Each structure stands twice: as structure tokens, then as C-alpha cells.
Amino acid sequence: MNYYSLHHKASKVSFQDAVVKGIAPDKGLYFPEIINPLPKKFFDNIENFSKNEIAFKMISQFVGNEIPENVLKEIIADTLCFDFPLVEIEKDIYSLELFHGPTMAFKDVGARFMARCLSYFNKDNNNEITVLVATSGDTGGAVASGFLGVKGVNVVILYPSGKVSDVQEKQLTTLGKNIKALEVKGTFDDCQRMVKNAFIDKDITEKIQLTSANSINVARWLPQMFYFAFAYQQLKQKNKALVFSIPSGNFGNICAGMMAQQLGLPITHFIAATNINRIVPNYLKSGKYIPLKSKQTISNAMDVGDPSNFIRILEIYKNDFVALKKHLHSYSFTDDKTKKAMLKIYKNSGYIADPHGAVGYLGLKKYFEDQSDKPLGVFFETAHPVKFLDVVEPVINKKLDYPEQIKKVINKTKEAIFIKTYDELKIFLLK
Ligand SMILES: *Cc1c(COP(=O)(O)O)cnc(C)c1O
């Protein structure tokens, strides 16, 4: 499968090159040249397939013959070695729990898949690759865990000082080995800008092979298609329209859902639920895409002022604003609303939602207000509530237990290098 740059200046590349490069030389995101819908009978019979089989069917055309079938199947089995439970928390409203992986955030799937692809591509040579990634919270931990100990790959993670939760910080600063954490004085946008600069800095790119592990990278982004099919598999027999509400930051997750829809997965509607960083809700209202400086919220993994994958959504919809508006609603919610939703969910059903999941829940409720025909609604619970302990505990007035995955890191010592400027990053990378 070939991938083209969404800036249309760089040449087309293979899946391998798209994964290794991360972003095209013209700074565009890569996008698959062809999307072939899967046969309808696959979706009609989806209950007969295992989750590994579903994943293989969905992703294999995007990999093409660049990874042998048996290896791709192993990579998938290794990637999906945990569960994706669907929990009904109110009539016709479900939480798809994507937090049962090693770092308890949905990004584990993409990070694990990408790490294993890179490791396969790197199997015959000693060309070291440096994965350079900015995180607003969960990416860092998932990437650190997904890439830990992978041969030939160094990982450098930038995170905004004081703006990630304690658990998140521990997850990305305590692993050691091939994982290095840089604590940046600034916001997530500052981290992301530094990373983008490094990718176009010849002093760096002539010396080291850099790649990204944000959802910019196709191997991080595309495996997220699986979640939508896993939910559909469990709800298909109800024979009702299906709406997904995705708590969105860089819009990789929801955009993967749109790819799944392109493959033929019967999704009726998408809701992009955001915190007050409301670039996309504004866009759907005005037709104008205006990036803004990100604002800090309690759902910090979504504090993004210029969602990187939004351009892929426009590509899927061929820049047809009217068609996009037909398939996508987007709403923004304040921290106060989010906390009230967490409390309401807890009181009504005993379910503990994290702030991101709660934003997703609010998106569904808001959309349902205007629907006479109530469809089934699924919101993504993108992180375990314990990752946002300082927010969740006071809201529901209850102490949470640490799951095993968290106990393992919480008492380890943080190791991070503090940087303030791009030049400091450059010196670090070139030393
Ligand atoms: C990354 C993240 C999001 C946002 O996902 P995008 O694909 O960037 O839109 C939402 N919730 C949590 C917990 C996350 O870690």
C-alpha cells in the first residue's frame, strides 16, 4: 500500500517508509492511497470472528505485502492481549472500556502495534531509529511501555511540566532503558512545536533517523479502527442505529472510526466531544478552522489547540463541509459540566468515569436531546479513572484502588531532564 502526503508535495511512500518517517518531508500527514471496503458479508457475520481476526481483516490492506501475513498476525495477537469490555451504564448508553492495556489508556493499542511494526522493519540492520514524541498525558506512557526494550529504537518523550497527572508522569519517567523523558517548561503545544521543528531541522535529520509516535504516525493511528468494530460486534444483534461519541484531542481516534466506516462498518453517526479546546465545534459552526492556544483542563489529554488529525478527516470527506456535517457533530464541555457528569454517572449507576470518558458521555446525551429515534450510543472510556485520581476522588468522594499496572510504577523514582528551549532539545538529541 502506498501513502501520499496531505500537503501533496512529497512523493508517495510505502507503508514501511510512512511508519519509519512518521511525517512526510513536506510536513504533511500520510494518507493511504486506496481504501477498499471489506465485503458486506464480513460485517454481517462479524460475530463469527475473533478480535484478532477482525483486526487482521481491517488492517491488512493498509500494510500490504510489506509484512508477511503470519508476522502481521503475531503482531496483532501481541498488540491485543487484553480485553475491550462494553458496559451498559444507562439504557442504550454504553461505555467501551479501552483502558485494560499496560498503561490503562487506549493509546496502548496503537503504540504496541507501531512498536512491533518498527521492530520488524528494523530486524536486519542496526540503523537506530529515534522515536520523538510530544505528549499531553497518555501518549507518553503508552509509547514508553509499548517501545520498552524494542531493539534499535530510542524513545524521547517531551511532556509539559506540571500539566500531566502524577500517574501519567510516573508512567513515562520511570522505565529507563531505551526510554528518555524530557520535562518541558511550557504547554503541550510548546512540546508539539519543538517536536515538529526537530523533524525539519537538517542538523538533526542528517545525523539521526527520527520518527513520530503520535497519531500522526499511520501505524499508531490505523489500529484504532478496531475499537469501533469490537463495539459493533457486541451490539449488532440489537439491530439499531449506532452512534459513537469520542472524547477528542488530536482527533486520531475518531478519524480512525471514520476509516472503519469507509471499510463498511455500519456506523450511523459520530460525535466529537471536546473540552473547552473547541476548535472543531467552532469549525462545524462557522466553516472556519482557527487553531487556538490550548487551555488547560481536567481532561488534559485533550488539551489540544490545533488537532493534528483533523486534516485527515477533511481528506476522508474530500473537503465536503456539507457531507462532513451530516456525519459528525461536535460539542464542547466545561470542566464544571464534566465533573457534574462524573458525579451523575456514579450516583445513577455506580460507574466511575474518568474526565475524558465523562466528556464522551456528555456528547452522547447532548446529541440524543435532538433525536426522536433513540439510537444506541457508545462512548469511549479512553483512560482508567485512577489515572486522574486528583480529579476523580474529590468529585465522587471515594478513594480508588490502584490496579496492578499502576502499583508497579507509582513508587518508582522519576527520572526526567528539564528543558526550556528548542536548542536544549537539539543539544540533547545530537549528543
Ligand atoms: C489521547 C487521549 C484522548 C484523545 O484522543 P485523540 O485521538 O488525540 O483525539 C482522549 N482521552 C485520553 C485519555 C487520551 O489519552
Side-chain angles (χ1 to χ4, degrees):
M1 169 67 78
N2 280 330
Y3 289 77
Y4 58 93
S5 161
L6 290 179
H7 286 178
H8 302 285
K9 293 201 182 79
S11 36
K12 285 177 191 161
V13 296
S14 61
F15 173 70
Q16 172 166 351
D17 282 349
V19 177
V20 170
K21 289 197 168 80
I23 193 159
D26 63 2
K27 294 206 268 171
L29 269 63
Y30 283 117
F31 196 86
E33 197 169 32
I34 307 166
I35 304 168
N36 283 318
L38 296 172
K40 187 171 170 298
K41 68 171 192 302
F42 166 64
F43 296 107
D44 288 348
N45 295 303
I46 200 162
E47 60 273 27
N48 300 328
F49 293 91
S50 70
K51 67 182 194 304
N52 292 2
E53 286 166 340
I54 292 172
F56 180 78
K57 292 249 185 232
M58 294 181 88
I59 201 114
S60 59
Q61 66 171 299
F62 298 106
V63 176
N65 56 11
E66 295 171 50
I67 298 178
E69 200 175 304
N70 62 324
V71 177
L72 183 57
K73 283 181 175 161
E74 271 168 36
I75 290 176
I76 288 170
D78 231 18
T79 299
L80 300 177
C81 60
F82 42 88
D83 294 330
F84 302 85
L86 190 68
V87 182
E88 186 169 27
I89 64 164
E90 273 172 32
K91 187 170 167 358
D92 293 345
I93 292 200
Y94 297 82
S95 163
L96 184 69
E97 295 185 344
L98 303 177
F99 58 69
H100 294 271
T103 74
M104 315 214 83
F106 79 91
K107 294 183 173 77
D108 281 328
V109 166
R112 291 169 72 77
F113 185 81
M114 179 183 161
R116 281 153 186 78
C117 289
L118 267 188
S119 164
Y120 174 77
F121 292 141
N122 205 35
K123 67 186 184 317
D124 297 329
N125 58 43
N126 300 314
N127 293 339
E128 291 217 327
I129 299 178
T130 298
V131 171
L132 182 64
V133 61
T135 182
S136 58
D138 279 344
T139 303
V143 168
S145 152
F147 284 81
L148 182 66
V150 173
K151 250 188 30 213
V153 183
N154 298 310
V155 177
V156 178
I157 300 167
L158 279 72
Y159 72 98
S161 180
K163 295 192 172 65
V164 302
S165 76
D166 286 350
V167 171
Q168 286 175 331
E169 185 171 45
K170 283 288 165 80
Q171 285 182 325
L172 57 95
T173 58
T174 61
L175 291 175
K177 290 193 188 161
N178 57 333
I179 315 293
K180 298 280 180 309
L182 300 182
E183 181 176 358
V184 176
K185 183 178 187 312
T187 62
F188 168 69
D189 291 340
D190 296 324
C191 297
Q192 184 136 299
R193 200 170 315 115
M194 285 190 191
V195 167
K196 281 187 177 161
N197 282 338
F199 275 94
I200 53 167
D201 187 333
K202 287 224 164 63
D203 296 344
I204 295 172
T205 55
E206 276 167 7
K207 291 219 175 65
I208 47 183
Q209 174 67 59
L210 285 183
T211 191
S212 66
N214 292 97
S215 45
I216 287 173
N217 196 299
V218 295
R220 248 283 320 267
W221 168 52
L222 288 169
Q224 301 174 147
M225 294 186 296
F226 308 157
Y227 310 139
F228 297 82
F230 297 161
Y232 174 69
Q233 185 185 39
Q234 297 175 69
L235 292 172
K236 177 176 162 262
Q237 88 265 17
K238 303 207 182 268
N239 223 349
K240 276 183 146 183
L242 183 56
V243 173
F244 283 97
S245 176
I246 314 302
S248 295
N250 268 313
F251 283 68
N253 216 354
I254 193 164
C255 181
M258 292 170 173
M259 292 294 282
Q261 190 183 41
Q262 296 288 308
L263 293 182
L265 189 70
I267 299 171
T268 312
H269 201 76
F270 291 100
I271 297 152
T274 73
N275 56 33
I276 52 167
N277 293 286
R278 43 174 304 134
I279 316 325
V280 174
N282 287 349
Y283 169 80
L284 286 179
K285 227 180 222 154
S286 70
K288 292 197 192 81
Y289 181 88
I290 304 168
L292 294 168
K293 204 168 153 34
S294 67
K295 298 187 196 100
Q296 201 183 337
T297 73
I298 56 169
S299 47
N300 67 25
M302 310 197 294
D303 295 352
V304 181
D306 185 4
S308 49
N309 282 285
F310 194 66
I311 187 160
R312 284 188 172 131
I313 294 184
L314 295 180
E315 186 72 4
I316 292 172
Y317 284 94
K318 303 195 170 58
N319 285 297
D320 182 342
F321 185 64
V322 178
L324 177 60
K325 271 187 87 146
K326 220 186 266 166
H327 289 103
L328 174 70
H329 273 68
S330 188
Y331 307 112
S332 149
F333 301 98
T334 61
D335 281 355
D336 189 47
K337 277 238 165 73
T338 307
K339 285 183 184 167
K340 286 192 174 123
M342 287 161 62
L343 184 60
K344 181 183 142 199
I345 295 169
Y346 182 63
K347 279 202 171 142
N348 289 351
S349 62
Y351 191 79
I352 303 174
D354 97 296
H356 304 79
V359 168
Y361 168 87
L362 283 168
L364 271 186
K365 295 298 266 190
K366 175 104 184 147
Y367 178 72
F368 280 4
E369 279 172 14
D370 306 326
Q371 305 298 309
S372 45
D373 234 6
K374 293 271 181 288
L376 295 180
V378 175
F379 70 89
F380 280 8
E381 180 45 298
T382 46
H384 192 287
V386 82
K387 296 194 77 176
F388 300 92
L389 211 60
D390 20 343
V391 180
V392 176
E393 284 187 346
V395 168
I396 63 168
N397 195 17
K398 180 187 151 76
K399 282 257 170 259
L400 304 187
D401 296 328
Y402 282 138
E404 277 312 309
Q405 290 102 312
I406 304 294
K407 277 190 204 150
K408 268 194 222 152
V409 296
I410 201 71
N411 292 320
K412 288 196 188 162
T413 313
K414 159 181 162 183
E415 275 182 48
I417 296 160
F418 193 80
I419 65 165
K420 293 189 191 118
T421 61
Y422 175 70
D423 283 337
E424 286 176 275
L425 170 64
K426 189 161 166 175
I427 291 165
F428 176 82
L429 289 172
L430 290 175
K431 78 171 185 302

